Amino acid sequence: MATPVRVLSYNIRSLRDDPEAVARVVRANGPDVLCLQEVPRFWGWRAQRRRLARACGMDVAAGRRACGLAVLAAPRVRRVHREFHLLTPDKDLHRRALAVAVLEVGRARLIAASTHLDLADGPRLRHVGEVLAHLDRARARYGAPVVLAGDINEEPGGPSWTLLTEHFQDGHATAPEGEELTFSARDPRRRIDGVFADPGVEVAGCGVPPDEPGDHVRATDHRPLRADLRLPGADLRLPGARVERAD
């Protein structure tokens, strides 16, 4: 029996706009897994991240100060492992990374990963290759399907996006639900955020969710991307799994 899981990907621009609106957006969508980009990295970053998790009714499952990435999990989701990988550096460009949380949702297991790729074409494409290699190893290590979410900084049809879709399902292209364009929140013109799922994961629907209160514009410069997925049903307990304290 398949296990439903809702994933939300969200670039929150270091909470520079309206943190309360960010939390309202998250709560309105009720994700089981929240993949964040541009999480605060300076001046009390740890307290800000934990405060946001509490406001969303979630726990920090993965992420570090570096590169502003985090994966949050709802109370019904159990974190059994986490990884964090710095991608190769480029002079004068922001350092990029990959945050990974191995999660159990009921009797199903999921590898949830968050990334934020570069604006520059060459580094972005190289980093996609590194991300895929890290996720291949995680898939083999934990025996679970992968869902990768993030700010790709490229639209469908570009080389980095195309490389991702050679390995994953593009959530919105597979099962469009809601609106398509994710950037900017004030004037949506581009689809640069994505949720990508392994072929064994069923994508029931993926897109920008409704926003009747108008919080998308208040919260940050990206719109959230919501994906309703169904995981293969099995009793997938990790041998010797342990819960680790988030930073």
Side-chain angles (χ1 to χ4, degrees):
M1 184 175 179
T3 300
V5 61
R6 173 168 285 182
V7 175
L8 195 72
S9 183
Y10 208 6
N11 182 321
I12 58 173
R13 193 158 67 165
S14 298
L15 295 176
R16 293 200 304 263
D17 299 288
D18 187 339
E20 293 181 1
V22 170
R24 287 196 300 268
V25 169
V26 173
R27 292 196 305 268
N29 286 284
D32 298 298
V33 180
L34 175 60
C35 294
L36 294 172
Q37 304 87 45
E38 293 196 32
V39 178
R41 297 184 294 132
F42 307 106
W43 304 296
W45 66 275
R46 184 178 281 108
Q48 290 183 73
R49 188 175 67 171
R50 288 179 172 165
R51 188 160 52 243
L52 175 63
R54 286 196 300 269
C56 294
M58 306 183 80
D59 297 309
V60 178
R64 292 182 185 173
R65 177 179 181 176
C67 307
L69 298 172
V71 179
L72 274 56
R76 82 180 187 104
V77 178
R78 179 172 178 261
R79 197 271 310 282
V80 293
H81 199 76
R82 64 181 175 184
E83 298 180 1
F84 191 88
H85 302 282
L86 288 170
L87 306 180
T88 54
D90 291 273
K91 186 178 179 180
D92 299 326
L93 295 179
H94 291 294
R95 192 72 186 268
R96 302 296 173 172
L98 177 72
V100 178
V102 184
L103 306 170
E104 287 181 352
V105 188
R107 295 169 63 87
R109 191 190 304 165
L110 170 70
I111 299 167
S114 181
T115 195
H116 184 187
L117 299 178
D118 208 274
L119 289 165
D121 294 344
R124 181 170 61 244
L125 183 58
R126 186 182 76 253
H127 287 155
V128 168
E130 295 176 24
V131 165
L132 292 172
H134 285 304
L135 294 178
D136 282 346
R137 287 189 287 270
R139 191 185 294 107
R141 184 179 298 122
Y142 304 114
V146 170
V147 174
L148 170 67
D151 179 352
I152 308 304
N153 266 322
E154 180 180 285
E155 294 183 82
S160 297
W161 196 288
T162 298
L163 182 56
L164 287 168
T165 57
E166 289 173 357
H167 293 77
F168 296 109
Q169 302 173 82
D170 173 350
H172 182 75
T174 301
E177 181 178 74
E179 296 190 30
E180 175 183 10
L181 306 179
T182 63
F183 186 81
S184 68
R186 190 170 298 278
D187 184 21
R189 294 175 180 265
R190 305 175 67 202
R191 180 159 84 98
I192 62 172
D193 301 86
V195 174
F196 302 89
D198 266 350
V201 175
E202 179 186 350
V203 182
C206 180
V208 176
D211 179 35
E212 292 181 7
D215 275 330
H216 289 180
V217 172
R218 300 184 187 101
T220 178
D221 60 341
H222 284 245
R223 300 205 289 178
L225 183 63
R226 186 177 74 192
D228 285 311
L229 311 172
R230 296 191 181 101
L231 305 179
D235 191 0
L236 296 172
R237 291 284 169 180
L238 279 172
R242 64 187 184 279
V243 177
E244 301 176 7
R245 184 182 64 83
D247 291 335

